[in-house]
Amino acid sequence: PKQDLPKVPFRALIGSLLFASTRTRPDIATAVGILSRHMTHYNQDHWVAAKHILRYLRGTRDAVLMFRKDTSEALHGYADATYASDTSTSRSRTGYVLYLAHAPIAWVSRLQKTIASSSAESEYQALASAAQEILFLRQLLSEMIGGDDALPPTLLHCDNQPSIRVADRCSTTMRHVRIRFHLIRQLVEEGVITLTYCNTSANIADIFTKPLPKPKHLEFCSKLLA
């Protein structure tokens, strides 16, 4: 669409929202990520949507990330993907969130770099992205506690059983999946990550893949923010 609002601070607003979404407000990550793709060709609809996010933030300004003293909870997370959700590129959106001390410490909502040929492949790419972040966080934690041997396997929830079977080297038709996505398979074999199936209705990472109905959005927000 033609850029018809040259005088509004759309780029500055999106920049500020991006900062918030990557620091303390995971609940707006998907909406801000979608709007950020229109930094050079925004229109009235995009400006209205951006202001809607501001109103949402004002209404939820007391929401915070709440970490607890209980250190018994191990690193764990949720991964999800929305197949071919971007209509202009046909790319899928990856979403994942990782928890420690009962609060999210890392989250992502972004388009995948390659076009997936199926929903299972897009979910598998999401698992691979989450696995890379898990490796980094496990290394950081091992340096803090003195050795990776003290860390239990990281539990990663996924709502797509075919992608879990691929990671477990079960029989599959997804033999075309590129080698660079098989990091998750290697980590499963080594016992670093344990994949487990969860229903879509319980997959918190769903909030990072697409806009959700208000009741579902609020339900997942309650599990991200206090």
Side-chain angles (χ1 to χ4, degrees), residues 5-9 42:
L5 294 173
K7 295 182 179 180
V8 298
Y42 55 88

Side-chain angles (χ1 to χ4, degrees), residues 118 166 170-177:
S118 66
V166 174
C170 295
S171 176
T172 176
T173 58
M174 289 175 55
R175 297 182 180 87
H176 62 285
V177 175

Side-chain angles (χ1 to χ4, degrees), residues 4-198:
D4 54 6
L5 294 173
K7 295 182 179 180
V8 298
F10 181 78
R11 296 185 184 90
L13 174 56
I14 295 301
S16 298
L17 292 175
L18 280 170
F19 182 84
S21 69
T22 57
R23 297 300 189 275
T24 60
R25 294 303 300 258
D27 51 329
I28 65 171
T30 301
V32 175
I34 293 173
L35 283 179
S36 67
R37 293 182 56 79
H38 301 280
M39 297 282 274
T40 60
H41 54 275
Y42 55 88
N43 59 25
Q44 180 69 33
D45 292 337
H46 303 127
W47 179 241
V48 169
K51 291 196 295 183
H52 180 75
I53 296 177
L54 284 180
R55 289 193 294 271
Y56 169 77
L57 289 175
R58 182 177 61 182
T60 58
R61 58 183 176 271
D62 294 330
V64 296
L65 297 175
M66 182 69 72
F67 297 92
R68 303 179 187 175
K69 292 183 179 180
D70 178 15
T71 58
S72 61
E73 184 189 60
L75 178 68
H76 67 284
Y78 298 80
D80 198 9
T82 299
Y83 176 59
S85 59
D86 187 72
T87 56
S88 61
T89 64
S90 296
R91 286 189 290 171
S92 306
R93 179 169 291 273
T94 282
Y96 67 76
V97 56
L98 302 176
Y99 282 81
L100 189 66
H102 302 276
I105 60 172
W107 56 85
V108 153
S109 175
R110 62 169 175 245
L111 289 181
Q112 296 177 355
K113 295 182 179 180
T114 59
I115 298 176
S117 61
S118 66
S119 59
E121 184 178 340
S122 67
E123 297 271 1
Y124 192 69
Q125 290 192 37
L127 289 177
S129 295
Q132 292 178 355
E133 187 70 22
I134 288 172
L135 269 184
F136 167 75
L137 292 174
R138 286 180 64 92
Q139 181 179 355
L140 179 62
L141 290 172
S142 67
E143 293 174 356
M144 296 172 63
I145 65 177
D148 187 64
D149 294 339
L151 294 175
T154 298
L155 191 64
L156 185 58
H157 299 81
C158 174
D159 59 10
N160 186 271
Q161 295 191 23
S163 62
I164 295 177
R165 289 198 294 269
V166 174
D168 288 335
R169 287 188 179 271
C170 295
S171 176
T172 176
T173 58
M174 289 175 55
R175 297 182 180 87
H176 62 285
V177 175
R178 299 184 181 183
I179 294 175
R180 64 191 179 94
F181 296 131
H182 282 318
L183 170 65
I184 181 68
R185 174 180 288 183
Q186 177 182 340
L187 296 179
V188 169
E189 291 177 347
E190 294 175 353
V192 175
I193 292 177
T194 299
L195 294 179
T196 182
Y197 174 78
C198 69

